[in-house]
Amino acid sequence: MNILIIGGGGREHVITKYIARNPKVSKIYALPGNGGISNLAECASISAEDIGGIVSFAKSHAIDFAVVAPDDPLALGAVDRLEEIGIKCFGPTQKAAQIESSKVFAKSLMTKYHIPTAKFEVFTEIDKALSYAALNDYPMVIKADGLAKGKGVTVAENFQQAREAIMSCMRDKSFGASGERIIIEECLKGPEVTVLAFTDGKTVVPMMSSMDHKRAYDGNKGPNTGGMGVIAPNPFYTPEIADFCMKRIFLPTIEAMNKEGRTFKGCLYFGLMLTNDGPKVIEYNCRFGDPEAEAVLPLMETDLLDVMMAVRDERLAEIPVKFRDASSCCVVCASSGYPAKYLTGYTIDFGDAEAVEGVEIFHAGTKIADGKIVTSGGRVLAVNAVADDLATARDKAYEAVGKITFEGMRYRSDIGASAL
Ligand code: AMP
Ligand code: GLY
């Protein structure tokens, strides 16, 4: 089979690596891929947002199966366009991807189908948003409606911060059209859990739970990022909670999407907060999380491509999806300055990091220049270690990170610390 992977981050690297293990695979292409993916796949410099370019590439390279991994091409309808020309895809249609691409849609869906989530109001006018912000309790959460590269959410501690967030979205259009509508939401408290789930619209199979670390600095300080590290499983996610989530959140969401004529097929990401009032949905994403995928997929025993094809063909119920009884710890090595401005083009010295037991290094923002691997993004590497227990996985991941150097390299030193 000829496989096409859309995207070029750490998530796409882990997906490519595990798909490459399937004996049915003869050739993998990646658009645009990255320095690590290029060892496994032929990369072409077509952006993941260039849907026309992706479709013509797929047509001319006899692609049998495509995996559309990032949010942007899903929101732009990459799956719809590829399926139209007969190419089978893993990933939701544009209509189903709205569960991530419009927070107003997602919140309305949860309200309509009684899925537990934070109380909220929607605003399209600055004045009304400001008046509301002036009168309500803090902390308060301000969210841009649309996609904003993981940066559209502000947890405001006071009116000043809320005002800045509202102005940045609605007046300064920092997130373009994504910020024309905003949501102001009640601030929830409790441990956060990510549950990725395979679903074909009939069956939902949750993967092992995980814990992302979204803030830039140790101690959960600093701005939100795309994710600075992950552990799996998440120790706060007990079997009782998992049972509640299945009944009250996962199945109702799949049903709701079916009823709305937006059947979701692919990986549905449930961002949950375990509050004193029970688990609530913080957000849905229409795809694997990044770096959650780099921590969770290494624990999966079942062949990834087989599961993805079963999802596409709506026969997920036939495949027993199994996970190892082990732990992952994934530490992101980022460029100094991320998530704000940063410089790129620095050579990466990996030392013998990959020789550390249980460690795999996934490239996020890297490329090859003059035969060397250099930095090309904010999040540069996702270093994951698998071990029998979390403490060992953490030690191994940090041992490997300690062997890697590039100019401006920065990472959080407390990934998983709160779970020990
Ligand atoms: P999102 O982009 O929706 O994942 O939000 C980014 C992060 O903001 C989440 O992972 C939470 O840590 C935080 N957050 C979002 N919504 C809320 C909320 N209602 N209450 C508390 N924290 C939130
Ligand atoms: N790590 C969070 C996300 O992928 O949205």
Side-chain angles (χ1 to χ4, degrees), residues 326-368:
S327 292
S328 268
C329 178
C330 178
V331 179
V332 169
C333 301
S335 299
S336 161
Y338 173 78
K341 283 206 179 76
Y342 52 83
L343 299 172
T344 59
Y346 299 117
T347 305
I348 305 171
D349 180 352
F350 290 89
D352 58 350
E354 206 140 23
V356 178
E357 196 189 341
V359 165
E360 288 176 287
I361 300 174
F362 303 110
H363 293 218
T366 77
K367 64 175 188 185
I368 297 178

Side-chain angles (χ1 to χ4, degrees), residues 26-231:
S26 36
K27 173 99 188 166
I28 307 183
Y29 299 93
L31 306 179
N34 64 32
I37 295 172
S38 65
N39 288 323
L40 303 156
E42 188 176 319
C43 299
S45 56
I46 294 174
S47 138
E49 280 119 76
D50 174 5
I51 308 302
I54 292 169
V55 170
S56 22
F57 184 95
K59 246 191 214 163
S60 58
H61 290 77
I63 298 300
D64 299 297
F65 194 78
V67 178
V68 184
D71 45 358
D72 288 309
L74 291 165
L76 292 168
V79 167
D80 310 60
R81 299 291 93 73
L82 288 167
E83 289 273 355
E84 267 163 29
I85 58 163
I87 294 172
K88 292 185 175 193
C89 292
F90 179 83
T93 59
Q94 187 169 30
K95 268 172 89 178
Q98 258 210 311
I99 199 162
E100 171 171 4
S101 61
S102 169
K103 291 194 196 281
V104 174
F105 169 76
K107 295 295 287 191
S108 312
L109 186 86
M110 288 186 267
T111 308
K112 183 168 171 189
Y113 293 93
H114 311 290
I115 296 165
T117 188
K119 290 196 198 74
F120 71 102
E121 297 282 338
V122 179
F123 295 94
T124 50
E125 289 165 48
I126 297 182
D127 290 350
K128 291 197 174 139
L130 287 175
S131 322
Y132 181 87
L135 292 174
N136 279 274
D137 296 339
Y138 285 84
M140 170 188 291
V141 185
I142 321 277
K143 299 185 172 184
D145 175 41
L147 299 179
K149 310 252 175 241
K151 293 167 198 162
V153 174
T154 305
V155 180
E157 299 294 338
N158 50 48
F159 179 69
Q160 166 80 6
Q161 290 176 3
R163 188 174 185 285
E164 271 170 33
I166 292 168
M167 288 306 197
S168 155
C169 277
M170 301 181 90
R171 185 193 63 194
D172 308 338
K173 311 232 181 292
S174 303
F175 308 113
S178 286
E180 280 168 9
R181 282 198 293 187
I182 63 162
I183 284 174
I184 301 187
E185 192 170 272
E186 156 201 23
C187 187
L188 302 177
K189 288 205 168 47
E192 276 188 64
V193 182
T194 301
V195 179
L196 308 174
F198 291 110
T199 176
D200 58 1
K202 298 173 177 160
T203 306
V204 57
V205 178
M207 293 174 231
M208 187 181 273
S209 64
S210 58
M211 180 196 285
D212 192 9
H213 296 64
K214 288 214 169 75
R215 300 296 191 104
Y217 307 115
D218 281 12
N220 294 325
K221 301 246 162 45
N224 269 321
T225 69
M228 295 297 294
V230 169
I231 56 156

Side-chain angles (χ1 to χ4, degrees), residues 200-278:
D200 58 1
K202 298 173 177 160
T203 306
V204 57
V205 178
M207 293 174 231
M208 187 181 273
S209 64
S210 58
M211 180 196 285
D212 192 9
H213 296 64
K214 288 214 169 75
R215 300 296 191 104
Y217 307 115
D218 281 12
N220 294 325
K221 301 246 162 45
N224 269 321
T225 69
M228 295 297 294
V230 169
I231 56 156
N234 184 321
F236 295 102
Y237 192 70
T238 61
E240 296 71 47
I241 293 174
D243 192 50
F244 175 93
C245 291
M246 186 56 134
K247 291 195 186 105
R248 294 291 314 282
I249 297 176
F250 307 159
L251 289 168
T253 302
I254 301 307
E255 265 313 293
M257 291 297 274
N258 285 338
K259 287 197 181 121
E260 295 294 312
R262 295 170 188 265
T263 295
F264 190 102
K265 299 201 316 191
C267 172
L268 187 51
Y269 172 126
F270 296 90
L272 308 170
M273 199 167 267
L274 309 181
T275 74
N276 288 336
D277 276 347

Side-chain angles (χ1 to χ4, degrees), residues 13-14 17-18 21 293-295 297-299 324 328-331 353-363 381-386 396-397 400 404:
H13 192 184
V14 64
K17 184 168 175 185
Y18 292 159
R21 292 179 178 172
E294 293 95 300
L297 293 178
L299 296 168
R324 275 176 68 180
S328 268
C329 178
C330 178
V331 179
E354 206 140 23
V356 178
E357 196 189 341
V359 165
E360 288 176 287
I361 300 174
F362 303 110
H363 293 218
L381 302 170
V383 178
N384 190 63
V386 171
K396 295 290 174 195
I404 300 171

Side-chain angles (χ1 to χ4, degrees), residues 258-336:
N258 285 338
K259 287 197 181 121
E260 295 294 312
R262 295 170 188 265
T263 295
F264 190 102
K265 299 201 316 191
C267 172
L268 187 51
Y269 172 126
F270 296 90
L272 308 170
M273 199 167 267
L274 309 181
T275 74
N276 288 336
D277 276 347
K280 294 190 181 183
V281 177
I282 291 269
E283 64 161 346
Y284 293 115
N285 289 329
C286 65
R287 50 170 175 88
F288 287 99
D290 188 351
E292 284 92 338
E294 293 95 300
V296 172
L297 293 178
L299 296 168
M300 192 164 117
E301 286 178 327
T302 316
D303 182 84
L304 179 61
L305 182 60
D306 288 346
V307 178
M308 287 179 158
M309 292 196 303
V311 165
R312 158 60 181 74
D313 296 337
E314 297 175 22
R315 40 178 190 77
L316 180 58
E318 294 167 18
I319 305 241
V321 182
K322 293 214 174 77
F323 283 81
R324 275 176 68 180
D325 182 15
S327 292
S328 268
C329 178
C330 178
V331 179
V332 169
C333 301
S335 299
S336 161

